[in-house]
Amino acid sequence: MRELELKSVIKVCNMDELSAEEKHLIELAIEATSRSYAPYSKFHVGAAVRLDNGVEIIGCNQENAAYPSGLCAERTALFAAGVQYPDVPVRMLAIAARGTHGELEEEPVPPCGSCRQVMVETETRANAPMRILLYGKKYVYVIDGIRKLMPLTFSEFQR
C-alpha cells in the first residue's frame, strides 16, 4: 500500500491586497447576500461571476421547504451565466456569506461539494480555470481554479 498526498494551494489575502476587479466582484457577492431567500437556515450566501466578456452575474441561495429543492448561491450564478452566455468562460467567482446572526462571516465559507462539482464542470466546459474568491471579514481565500480546491474531480474519470 502507498499513500497519495494531495496538496491544495490557497492564497490568504487581505482585501487591500486584491485588485480593484476582485474587490468589486466581492462587493457584488456581499450585496447578493441581501437577496438570498433563506427562511429555514437563516444562512444567506451571495455569489458573483465575472465572465471573460466582462459581464457580471450574481446569484444567491434559494431555500425551499421541500428540501433539497433549494439551490446554493454559487450554482444560481454559474447556471445563470451558462444559460445567458453558454460559450463564454467564467473568469472569476466570488462568494460571501452572512451567518444566522445577520453579520458577514469572519472567515471565508467554502462551497459545498455539489457546488464544487458544478465549478469543475464549468471549467471543463470552457476549458479554462476560474479564479475563486472566498470572502471573510478577516481575510479572503484566493484559489486559482477549482482543481486546487478539489484535486480529484469526477470529470477526470469520465473523459
Side-chain angles (χ1 to χ4, degrees), residues 58 95 110:
I58 64 169
I95 304 164

Side-chain angles (χ1 to χ4, degrees), residues 127-139:
N127 195 28
M130 71 179 88
R131 175 165 271 204
I132 302 161
L133 307 168
L134 305 179
Y135 173 79
K137 285 173 31 178
K138 289 182 182 176
Y139 45 84

Side-chain angles (χ1 to χ4, degrees), residues 70-147:
L71 201 57
C72 298
E74 299 91 316
R75 284 182 277 162
T76 63
L78 290 169
F79 290 158
V83 167
Q84 295 174 65
Y85 301 92
D87 299 323
V88 180
V90 173
R91 187 162 43 129
M92 205 175 333
L93 167 68
I95 304 164
R98 290 183 191 277
T100 56
H101 46 74
E103 297 294 320
L104 288 167
E105 290 292 305
E106 290 290 322
E107 298 192 14
V109 175
C112 74
S114 295
C115 288
R116 291 176 195 213
Q117 185 60 43
V118 168
M119 290 177 199
V120 167
E121 198 66 28
T122 301
E123 285 187 356
T124 301
R125 177 181 182 180
N127 195 28
M130 71 179 88
R131 175 165 271 204
I132 302 161
L133 307 168
L134 305 179
Y135 173 79
K137 285 173 31 178
K138 289 182 182 176
Y139 45 84
V140 177
Y141 288 158
V142 178
I143 305 148
D144 289 320
I146 188 61
R147 284 166 177 80

Side-chain angles (χ1 to χ4, degrees), residues 2-6 152:
R2 65 185 181 96
E3 288 185 14
L4 174 64
E5 186 175 327
L6 302 174
L152 295 177

Side-chain angles (χ1 to χ4, degrees), residues 8-12 141-143 148-149:
S8 292
V9 178
I10 299 171
K11 297 173 191 146
V12 182
Y141 288 158
V142 178
I143 305 148
K148 299 279 196 245
L149 191 57

